[in-house]
Amino acid sequence: MKINRTPPKTQAALLQAMQEYKVTAGGVTHHLDLPFFVLATQNPIEQEGTYPLPEAQLDRFMFNIQIDYPTLDQEKEIVASTTCSYQPVLEKVVNAEKILEIQDLVRKVPASSHVIGYAVKLVRSSRPKEIEALPFVKEWTEWGAGPRASQYLILAAKARSIMDQRYVASVEDVQAVIPSILRHRIITNFKAQAEGITSLQIIERLLQEVRP
């Protein structure tokens, strides 16, 4: 779904689904089966006729992942597999119960107070009005990331540690996931936009200057 092509009414319904796992239509509330998540796309090129997402809704998305053009070999594979008569046979590899079990397992991964403190310090340093804010944040940032970013940093760090066959979340895990988690939560001001400063550049500076 190209989310910025949906009108505000649809976006409001998505906001309820993402936050409360239920949808209300015609005065009737429908609960969504778990596991449930929203996966949305947004084309950064053509913006005519689109509806920018409010910050409150952007904050509900855990990750913002930027996808560039495929490599030469990837594009060859895409063309070869989509212009032939081959029909892949899909096989179920995991069921809903197993996904919920894995999600619960991720939450049980330990994260020390040192790692949690580092994640929170990074997020608080992105807010221009906090005492932890660095000079470049005050200069270039309109709004920083909220508490949900701190939560997602730790959850993503825990998941990354399991995927790497480790059983404790580390500072390195936090550093690896922070660009995708903060990219859409740091709102640059007019001065930054005029100077060509992006949220990713601000995140890079945060990683350099906020030490564990």
Side-chain angles (χ1 to χ4, degrees), residues 2-36:
K2 191 173 291 186
I3 195 165
N4 60 332
R5 289 288 179 189
T6 59
K9 191 172 182 179
T10 303
Q11 291 184 6
L14 279 174
L15 191 61
Q16 182 188 20
M18 296 168 72
Q19 179 66 28
E20 304 174 23
Y21 300 113
K22 59 186 179 183
V23 174
T24 301
V28 180
T29 299
H30 305 272
H31 291 272
L32 301 168
D33 293 333
L34 297 178
F36 171 84

Side-chain angles (χ1 to χ4, degrees), residues 5 9 16-17 26 35 41 58 64 74 91 102 107 179 191:
R5 289 288 179 189
K9 191 172 182 179
Q16 182 188 20
T41 60
L58 283 174
N64 180 323
Q74 289 172 339
E91 297 181 4
I102 294 171
R107 290 183 174 273
K191 187 175 189 300

Side-chain angles (χ1 to χ4, degrees), residues 8-165:
K9 191 172 182 179
T10 303
Q11 291 184 6
L14 279 174
L15 191 61
Q16 182 188 20
M18 296 168 72
Q19 179 66 28
E20 304 174 23
Y21 300 113
K22 59 186 179 183
V23 174
T24 301
V28 180
T29 299
H30 305 272
H31 291 272
L32 301 168
D33 293 333
L34 297 178
F36 171 84
F37 71 98
V38 174
L39 180 64
T41 60
Q42 184 172 350
N43 191 327
I45 299 173
E46 199 272 308
Q47 297 298 320
E48 185 176 350
T50 62
Y51 303 85
L53 270 64
E55 284 74 13
Q57 186 166 358
L58 283 174
D59 196 37
R60 299 301 193 278
F61 285 95
M62 182 173 187
F63 290 119
N64 180 323
I65 301 173
Q66 186 171 347
I67 301 176
D68 209 339
Y69 289 113
T71 64
L72 175 62
D73 290 338
Q74 289 172 339
E75 192 162 351
K76 287 180 180 178
E77 185 176 351
I78 290 170
V79 173
S81 62
T82 57
T83 57
C84 65
S85 60
Y86 170 70
Q87 295 292 329
V89 178
L90 302 181
E91 297 181 4
K92 183 186 292 186
V93 296
V94 65
N95 57 26
E97 290 75 18
K98 187 63 176 178
I99 293 174
L100 293 173
E101 181 183 330
I102 294 171
Q103 289 178 340
D104 182 59
L105 177 64
V106 167
R107 290 183 174 273
K108 292 178 180 177
V109 172
S112 69
S113 58
H114 169 71
V115 173
I116 292 175
Y118 176 58
V120 171
K121 187 177 180 181
L122 279 167
V123 171
R124 291 181 66 85
S125 296
S126 75
R127 303 171 192 162
K129 295 183 180 180
E130 293 284 357
I131 58 173
E132 295 93 336
L134 298 168
F136 69 90
V137 170
K138 295 179 179 179
E139 182 181 3
W140 291 329
T141 304
E142 185 74 25
W143 294 101
R148 189 177 278 108
S150 303
Q151 296 171 323
Y152 284 157
L153 275 177
I154 294 302
L155 283 174
K158 290 182 175 186
R160 185 176 185 271
S161 69
I162 290 181
M163 294 172 66
D164 199 30
Q165 299 183 14

Side-chain angles (χ1 to χ4, degrees), residues 62-66 115 118-119 122 149 152-164 166 169-183 200 203-204 206-208 210 212:
M62 182 173 187
F63 290 119
N64 180 323
I65 301 173
Q66 186 171 347
V115 173
Y118 176 58
L122 279 167
Y152 284 157
L153 275 177
I154 294 302
L155 283 174
K158 290 182 175 186
R160 185 176 185 271
S161 69
I162 290 181
M163 294 172 66
D164 199 30
R166 291 177 287 105
S170 67
V171 164
E172 289 74 23
D173 291 321
V174 172
Q175 292 171 335
V177 299
I178 191 172
S180 297
I181 288 180
L182 292 194
R183 175 189 282 131
L200 276 180
I203 293 167
E204 289 173 3
L206 284 172
L207 286 172
Q208 292 170 3
V210 179

